[in-house]
Amino acid sequence: MRIVVDAHGGDNAPLEIIKGCCMAAKEIKDITILLVGRKNELQQIMTENGLPTDRFEIVDAPDVITMEDEPTSVLKEKQYSSMAVAFRLLKEDKADAFVSAGNSGAVLVGATLLVKRIRGIKRAALGAVMPSIEGPYIMLDCGANVECKPEYLDQFALMGSLYMKSVLGIENPRVGLLNNGTEECKGPELQQQAYQLLKANENINFIGNIEGREVPLGGSDVVVADGFAGNVTLKVSEGWGKMFSGVLKGMLTKNIKSKLAALLIMDEIKAFRKKMDYKEYGGAPLLGISKPVIKAHGSSDAKAFKNAIRQACAFAESNMILEIEKSLAKE
Amino acid sequence: MRIVVDAHGGDNAPLEIIKGCCMAAKEIKDITILLVGRKNELQQIMTENGLPTDRFEIVDAPDVITMEDEPTSVLKEKQYSSMAVAFRLLKEDKADAFVSAGNSGAVLVGATLLVKRIRGIKRAALGAVMPSIEGPYIMLDCGANVECKPEYLDQFALMGSLYMKSVLGIENPRVGLLNNGTEECKGPELQQQAYQLLKANENINFIGNIEGREVPLGGSDVVVADGFAGNVTLKVSEGWGKMFSGVLKGMLTKNIKSKLAALLIMDEIKAFRKKMDYKEYGGAPLLGISKPVIKAHGSSDAKAFKNAIRQACAFAESNMILEIEKSLAKE
């Protein structure tokens, strides 16, 4: 398995990215990491930090796309950036999957215009795998398409279902449409029209509208939303997760009494933290692209990035891109 | 202070509604509750439950609007329902404020067409007062208008600011526009155009776009959203709140050890529960109507409904409707 990594993408790049790659190289057997970036700089960091370089191939790319750069820079002025070079390696079959924690817009543009969409897919969707109390679910789109048409949402539902099935091994995943009420007639025109398409789609297990309340409580394996509502839901969930672990920490470090309490329930807290930590679920697959592309969280640390690589491997090992093509051919 | 109450609105009506009214009558001095509904039934319930009837005026209304009824039924076939009669009492100045936990659509239609909007207000907005780690904030619209125009959002910002100032006593409330990024250019066309109006609005303290992550973490006193995104955010937050208290309960009742831990941090848990309990914040004011209207949560118990009445009193005592009229006149 060959994974190409954009070494300079993300808030903590390149050090945390490289560390994450080393963790992945240690954990995942038969993996080769194509680390793309400023070769000398990367080699120096690995030496200084005593990081093992076996199972790494370092590919030189002189330029870097920053969070401030225009998404289209990946095609033009920054075509020799780590991200652009990594995308070309993916396109040329030099790698099985791509991972970057960099500029989301540039990842979307690069994947769509350099690697290309699956024939018949109207829009690629960013699908975040998120924790719920019942286990992980995928929400898509999470921000790639803030303005959507009903047929996009119908394709998101198909791609999300196939991802949960092929990559996370969930049989017959339940698909819910994020809406402001459960009744069929609810929501803006987009959701009302999408509901009818989803209802008629024989390739998915549509369970109807779901309200925001149900998202963290579980109940559906695939949550379909336009990129705006999806992004807001994702970030509100992150905010609550962050708030709650902060509150819990405050509660359990306040005084001697509470510190004793912390010791008594440490195992439960750890188990919960692990369950609700988005870092455990790796990054967000960009679905609808003809090759596996994973967008890791911009703030990824080594562990989060390692999990994103793990997810990229699972994506590449799955047959889901083939499955999407098959399903589209059926229509 | 005279508060008119729809006795038959809500999942737990009429018993929990009546109990909530009794709690309010006990707590709030100089309050008179106009309890509207099936007179005999209501009197019987009060007698059977030994509830004090002083400071109550029971107004007979033979009919009831259910959750299944069309919103417009409040105007036509159900014009003698508890909700419709209560709205007419408000319109005729027989009461200072209105509270119902009933059919949201019917509350919106009744308030808009029986009580009428403030002159110049294009749409009434449902504003939910929600807990954040920093304290309460108001989010509007929460579902009254799933399709919005930029100028509606601009008016929502003004009304939300005046509510936080006049009713919750927050000086110069910070207004954030819910969006999928902080940059000015972010979001769908609606948010991009609304941003420009909010930026130019001299009657508010606009702090720019805020992402979903910031909502539970605080940072703005007024969160402006279209009714769809607002409703989703509100319900996702409710879901997370519910999940966390469930998780915490599970953690602290698992075994002897964890039960001991619970005893040690009981005060902190109670304080947190109180802080994050939406019931503490009462109901959702329907802003833009010419009289104070509070929509209590459909699942309100006695305590939640009591707080909704408390909020209705604060709304009626404030001069915010006058303030809205003044601000609109300035424009």
Side-chain angles (χ1 to χ4, degrees):
Chain A
M1 184 66 57
R2 294 167 63 83
I3 308 297
V4 63
V5 170
D6 167 14
H8 295 287
D11 309 340
N12 309 314
L15 182 58
E16 288 295 308
I17 302 302
I18 298 172
K19 283 185 176 169
C21 291
C22 293
M23 287 167 76
K26 211 165 134 198
E27 273 188 26
I28 306 161
K29 68 166 158 47
D30 311 327
I31 191 175
T32 303
I33 305 233
L34 282 75
L35 192 64
V36 185
R38 295 178 178 135
K39 195 163 188 170
N40 299 340
E41 183 185 336
L42 300 179
Q43 278 168 329
Q44 194 187 344
I45 290 170
M46 294 180 95
T47 320
E48 281 171 356
N49 294 272
L51 298 169
T53 55
D54 57 315
R55 303 172 67 187
F56 273 83
E57 291 173 21
I58 303 185
V59 180
D60 192 47
D63 217 342
V64 169
I65 292 178
T66 67
M67 290 300 184
E68 291 64 42
D69 282 321
E70 280 299 313
T72 51
S73 64
V74 69
L75 304 173
K76 299 182 228 135
E77 59 273 31
K78 298 239 171 149
Q79 59 182 289
Y80 298 106
S81 60
S82 53
M83 190 191 287
V85 171
F87 270 131
R88 285 200 291 275
L89 289 168
L90 181 69
K91 184 184 176 48
E92 294 157 6
D93 293 323
K94 303 279 186 350
D96 304 301
F98 166 104
V99 186
S100 173
N103 185 316
S104 301
V107 170
L108 179 64
V109 169
T112 306
L113 298 173
L114 295 173
V115 185
K116 299 277 191 291
R117 285 196 295 269
I118 295 166
R119 178 183 298 274
I121 289 292
K122 296 187 173 68
R123 290 287 185 280
L126 202 58
V129 179
M130 290 289 291
S132 91
I133 198 66
E134 281 188 7
Y137 66 92
I138 190 168
M139 185 160 61
L140 70 175
D141 177 32
C142 285
N145 313 278
V146 291
E147 314 264 13
C148 286
K149 294 181 178 171
E151 49 274 33
Y152 302 171
L153 269 58
D154 190 34
Q155 289 192 336
F156 297 168
L158 172 71
M159 296 192 293
S161 298
L162 291 172
Y163 190 85
M164 290 309 275
K165 185 164 179 286
S166 318
V167 181
L168 278 87
I170 290 166
E171 274 311 310
N172 200 27
R174 299 157 298 172
V175 176
L177 175 64
L178 185 65
N179 209 336
N180 64 318
T182 52
E183 305 86 344
E184 188 164 337
C185 60
K186 276 285 187 175
E189 213 181 334
L190 172 67
Q191 280 70 16
Q192 288 186 34
Q193 291 177 6
Y195 188 102
Q196 297 308 322
L197 294 178
L198 294 169
K199 205 169 123 185
N201 187 336
E202 289 171 350
N203 294 320
I204 61 166
N205 170 21
F206 182 52
I207 60 167
N209 288 327
I210 64 159
E211 296 190 79
R213 200 180 291 109
E214 307 311 317
V215 173
L217 298 173
S220 55
D221 307 298
V222 180
V223 178
V224 176
D226 62 81
F228 183 71
N231 184 275
V232 167
T233 302
L234 176 72
K235 287 176 179 166
V236 170
S237 300
E238 281 179 17
W240 274 88
K242 191 175 169 198
M243 188 192 75
F244 190 65
S245 53
V247 166
L248 209 54
K249 197 173 172 188
M251 248 185 218
L252 295 170
T253 54
K254 202 179 164 206
N255 52 39
I256 306 287
K257 252 172 72 189
S258 57
K259 283 174 186 160
L260 173 57
L263 291 175
L264 292 166
I265 53 169
M266 195 44 73
D267 299 350
E268 286 79 5
I269 291 170
K270 279 193 184 140
F272 174 70
R273 280 244 169 91
K274 189 173 164 63
K275 187 175 184 181
M276 301 312 286
D277 180 7
Y278 75 85
K279 292 193 182 79
E280 289 292 327
Y281 298 92
L286 188 60
L287 300 175
I289 302 300
S290 56
K291 302 257 184 156
V293 171
I294 297 284
K295 167 67 177 77
H297 203 292
S299 67
S300 294
D301 58 11
K303 180 188 164 201
F305 202 81
K306 181 263 291 178
N307 284 321
I309 292 174
R310 177 176 285 292
Q311 193 177 9
C313 292
F315 190 170
E317 278 161 5
S318 80
N319 57 354
M320 88 154 282
I321 288 171
L322 199 72
E323 290 287 335
I324 293 175
E325 289 167 339
K326 267 198 245 155
S327 302
L328 292 174
K330 263 196 278 175
E331 283 171 359
Chain B
M1 185 65 56
R2 294 168 62 81
I3 308 296
V4 63
V5 170
D6 166 15
H8 295 289
D11 310 340
N12 308 315
L15 181 57
E16 288 295 309
I17 303 302
I18 299 174
K19 283 184 176 170
C21 292
C22 293
M23 286 166 77
K26 211 164 135 196
E27 274 187 26
I28 305 161
K29 71 168 157 46
D30 311 327
I31 190 175
T32 303
I33 307 246
L34 282 77
L35 191 65
V36 185
R38 295 176 178 137
K39 194 163 189 169
N40 298 340
E41 183 184 336
L42 300 179
Q43 278 169 328
Q44 195 186 344
I45 290 169
M46 292 180 97
T47 321
E48 281 172 358
N49 294 272
L51 298 169
T53 55
D54 56 316
R55 304 174 64 187
F56 274 82
E57 291 173 22
I58 301 184
V59 181
D60 191 46
D63 217 342
V64 169
I65 293 178
T66 67
M67 290 302 183
E68 290 64 43
D69 281 321
E70 280 300 311
T72 50
S73 64
V74 69
L75 305 173
K76 301 183 225 133
E77 59 273 31
K78 299 238 171 148
Q79 60 182 288
Y80 297 106
S81 60
S82 53
M83 190 190 289
V85 171
F87 270 130
R88 285 200 291 274
L89 289 167
L90 181 68
K91 182 183 178 51
E92 294 156 7
D93 293 322
K94 303 279 185 357
D96 304 299
F98 165 105
V99 186
S100 174
N103 185 316
S104 303
V107 170
L108 179 64
V109 169
T112 307
L113 298 173
L114 295 174
V115 186
K116 300 278 192 290
R117 283 196 295 269
I118 295 166
R119 179 184 298 274
I121 288 294
K122 295 186 173 70
R123 291 287 186 281
L126 201 58
V129 179
M130 291 288 292
S132 91
I133 198 67
E134 280 187 8
Y137 65 92
I138 191 167
M139 185 161 61
L140 69 175
D141 175 32
C142 286
N145 313 278
V146 292
E147 313 266 13
C148 286
K149 294 181 179 173
E151 50 272 36
Y152 302 172
L153 269 58
D154 190 34
Q155 290 192 335
F156 297 168
L158 173 70
M159 296 192 293
S161 298
L162 291 171
Y163 190 86
M164 291 309 275
K165 185 164 178 285
S166 320
V167 182
L168 277 85
I170 291 167
E171 275 310 312
N172 200 27
R174 299 158 298 174
V175 177
L177 174 64
L178 185 65
N179 208 336
N180 64 319
T182 52
E183 304 86 345
E184 188 165 340
C185 60
K186 277 283 186 175
E189 215 181 331
L190 171 67
Q191 280 71 16
Q192 287 186 35
Q193 292 176 7
Y195 188 103
Q196 298 307 323
L197 295 177
L198 294 169
K199 205 170 123 184
N201 188 336
E202 291 170 349
N203 294 319
I204 62 167
N205 171 21
F206 182 52
I207 60 167
N209 288 326
I210 64 160
E211 296 190 79
R213 200 180 291 109
E214 306 311 316
V215 174
L217 298 173
S220 54
D221 308 298
V222 180
V223 177
V224 176
D226 62 82
F228 183 72
N231 183 275
V232 167
T233 302
L234 176 71
K235 287 176 180 167
V236 170
S237 299
E238 280 178 18
W240 275 87
K242 192 176 169 197
M243 188 191 75
F244 283 151
S245 51
V247 166
L248 211 54
K249 198 173 171 188
M251 249 187 220
L252 295 171
T253 54
K254 200 177 165 209
N255 52 39
I256 306 288
K257 252 169 72 189
S258 56
K259 283 175 186 159
L260 174 56
L263 292 174
L264 293 167
I265 53 168
M266 195 44 76
D267 299 350
E268 287 79 5
I269 291 170
K270 278 192 184 141
F272 174 66
R273 280 243 171 89
K274 190 174 163 63
K275 186 172 186 182
M276 300 311 288
D277 180 7
Y278 74 86
K279 291 192 181 81
E280 289 292 327
Y281 297 93
L286 188 60
L287 299 174
I289 301 300
S290 56
K291 302 259 182 150
V293 172
I294 297 284
K295 166 67 177 75
H297 203 291
S299 66
S300 294
D301 58 12
K303 179 188 165 202
F305 201 80
K306 180 262 291 177
N307 286 320
I309 292 175
R310 176 175 286 291
Q311 192 177 9
C313 291
F315 191 172
E317 279 160 5
S318 80
N319 56 354
M320 87 155 278
I321 287 170
L322 200 70
E323 289 287 336
I324 293 176
E325 289 167 339
K326 265 197 248 158
S327 303
L328 292 175
K330 263 196 276 175
E331 283 171 3

